[in-house]
Amino acid sequence: MTGTHHVEVKNRDAVFKFDLHRNITIVRGDSGTGKTTLYDMIADYTRLHEASGVNISCDKPCAALIDLDWKHQLVGIHDSIVFIDEGAEFLKTKEFAHTIKATDNYYVIFNRESLHELPYSVEEIYEIKASGKYHSFKKIYRSNSKHVYYKEKAGSKLTFDALLTEDSKSGFQFYQHYFRDSSIECFTSSSNSAIFKWLLEHEDKKVFVIADGAAFGSEIDRILKMRSAANIRLCLPESFEWLILRSGLIKSENMTEILDNPSSYIECSEYFSWENFFEHYLIEVTVDTPFQYAKKEINPVYLNDNNARKIIVEIYTE
C-alpha cells in the first residue's frame, strides 16, 4: 500500500476523521480520550458490518484485529488498514514486528507505551482531540524548521559541546569531518535504542542528537523526559540520506515530487520504514555518478565544504 488515506468512522454518538500517511500510526492518550471508542466501533463493524450501526468511509478496507489468533486473522487481510487495541501483549514482540513487516497493510495501534520492536516515525504519534461528538488526530510531537523536537518550546539556542548520532558509518563520518575544526566532539551510539543510555552516561554534556526520525518514534518520549533534557537538542530528520537528497546536490527526475510526497512512492510491503527507502533511492540515483553513495563509507565528494554546507543547512546553522 502507498499513499495518504482519509478515514471517517461514525455512528449516532461519535464521529472520527483522520488521515494516515505511513504504514504505522500510533495513537496514545489516557482513558476517556476516545481510543477505546474508536477501536470498538471498528471492531463492531468488523464483526457485524452495516448491522453494527457504524459507518466507515475510506478508500481502503478497515478492520480491527479481534481474533486471539492474530496471525491467522492477518493472513486474510491485504491492502487494508488494520486497527489494534492497546493491551495486546504481542505488540511488544519481535514476532509481531516480523509478521507485519512484509504485509501490504497500514496499521493503527492504540498504545500508551513505546514499542521498541517497531520502526515508527516521530511524525505519526497522535492523541485524539474531541469537540463534542467530533474527534480528530493531533500530533503529540512537533518540531521547528530545523527538525528539532522539544519537550517545551526552547527559550534560547543551545551551544553544544557534543554531537551524537545513531549512524556509525557514512553519516557519522560526515559529521565528524564537518565539525573537525570546532570544539564539538562527535560520537556514535551505533543504534537509535542506544542513544538513551549514552545520554544517561553523559548528563554533564550539552548534546546535539541527530537520529533518523522515520524510525525514532519509540525513543523520543523517554529522551524528552530525561532530567537533562534542557541540555539536549533532539534533531530528527527522516534520515541522513534524506538530508543529502534534500540538499539539491543530486538531480533526478521526479525527485522533488518524491521528497514532497513520499507516501505516494513508498510501498509499505517493500520498505518497513521510510529511511530504508531513502537509502535505497539515493544509492540508485547516484550509481555511476560522481556522487555515488555507499552506506559503509562516505564518498569524499560529500565532504567538500560547499557540498557539506548544502547538506547540513537543513538541520544546522552556525
Side-chain angles (χ1 to χ4, degrees):
M1 188 189 298
T2 62
T4 293
H5 303 280
H6 180 70
V7 184
E8 294 186 18
V9 183
K10 59 185 178 181
N11 61 16
R12 64 182 182 181
D13 300 315
V15 178
F16 293 83
K17 296 182 180 182
F18 50 90
D19 294 323
L20 304 177
H21 309 282
R22 309 192 194 205
N23 59 328
I24 300 176
T25 299
I26 304 295
V27 183
R28 292 181 179 171
D30 297 328
S31 298
T33 57
K35 303 190 315 297
T36 300
T37 299
L38 175 56
Y39 175 80
D40 286 347
M41 289 169 68
I42 297 169
D44 287 344
Y45 185 85
T46 301
R47 297 185 186 97
L48 303 172
H49 303 289
E50 288 77 8
S52 67
V54 176
N55 179 267
I56 298 179
S57 176
C58 183
D59 65 336
K60 297 291 183 179
C62 296
L65 205 60
I66 56 177
D67 289 354
L68 291 177
D69 186 357
W70 58 271
K71 287 185 291 183
H72 180 266
Q73 186 182 357
L74 277 180
V75 169
I77 300 177
H78 301 284
D79 196 34
S80 301
I81 298 170
V82 180
F83 294 77
I84 306 174
D85 199 12
E86 63 182 332
E89 288 299 319
F90 61 79
L91 286 173
K92 304 175 184 178
T93 66
K94 291 182 179 179
E95 182 183 23
F96 175 70
H98 177 75
T99 299
I100 71 170
K101 183 176 182 179
T103 67
D104 58 357
N105 303 314
Y106 278 19
Y107 294 87
V108 179
I109 300 172
F110 302 95
N111 202 72
R112 302 183 209 186
E113 301 176 20
S114 294
L115 300 171
H116 295 285
E117 297 298 335
L118 296 177
Y120 53 94
S121 169
V122 294
E123 289 290 301
E124 306 305 330
I125 305 173
Y126 298 89
E127 58 187 348
I128 296 176
K129 289 297 183 182
S131 178
K133 73 174 187 178
Y134 295 95
H135 301 73
S136 60
F137 285 6
K138 180 181 178 181
K139 287 184 181 181
I140 292 179
Y141 304 106
R142 293 184 177 273
S143 64
N144 66 14
S145 60
K146 295 295 183 183
H147 311 284
V148 173
Y149 290 74
Y150 301 102
K151 182 177 182 181
E152 299 174 352
K153 187 175 181 180
S156 60
K157 185 177 179 180
L158 179 71
T159 301
F160 55 94
D161 50 39
L163 182 148
L164 175 66
T165 179
E166 65 176 279
D167 197 327
S168 61
K169 298 175 183 177
S170 56
F172 175 65
Q173 295 161 18
F174 173 85
Y175 298 123
Q176 197 172 42
H177 185 272
Y178 187 87
F179 291 103
R180 67 192 184 283
D181 296 325
S182 74
S183 60
I184 299 165
E185 191 173 2
C186 294
F187 301 89
T188 175
S189 66
S190 297
S191 70
N192 64 15
S193 60
I195 287 177
F196 179 73
K197 181 175 184 292
W198 191 98
L199 292 172
L200 282 178
E201 295 171 349
H202 299 84
E203 288 190 313
D204 58 318
K205 291 186 177 294
K206 296 179 179 179
V207 189
F208 190 67
V209 178
I210 304 175
D212 294 348
F216 205 74
S218 65
E219 299 296 323
I220 186 172
D221 191 55
R222 64 176 180 173
I223 290 178
L224 292 184
K225 288 181 177 178
M226 290 182 70
R227 182 177 62 182
S228 58
N231 287 333
I232 297 169
R233 289 295 178 266
L234 186 59
C235 182
L236 304 173
E238 293 286 351
S239 69
F240 177 62
E241 291 79 14
W242 179 85
L243 287 178
I244 293 176
L245 292 166
R246 290 277 297 178
S247 70
L249 293 173
I250 313 301
K251 308 299 180 184
S252 178
E253 186 179 2
N254 296 330
M255 182 179 294
T256 299
E257 172 61 24
I258 290 172
L259 293 175
D260 288 345
N261 190 24
S263 65
S264 294
Y265 294 86
I266 301 177
E267 169 55 53
C268 66
S269 63
E270 296 181 26
Y271 301 100
F272 201 24
S273 184
W274 281 14
E275 83 273 20
N276 304 133
F277 169 82
F278 291 120
E279 179 184 343
H280 178 268
Y281 181 64
L282 179 59
I283 291 172
E284 184 179 67
V285 298
T286 58
V287 67
D288 294 330
T289 75
F291 288 93
Q292 184 160 321
Y293 180 79
K295 185 68 175 179
K296 186 175 182 180
E297 185 173 358
I298 191 72
N299 182 335
V301 71
Y302 294 113
L303 304 180
N304 171 282
D305 287 345
N306 288 333
N307 292 341
R309 279 193 292 270
K310 290 179 180 179
I311 293 169
I312 208 167
V313 71
E314 180 76 22
I315 59 172
Y316 174 79
T317 303
E318 296 180 5

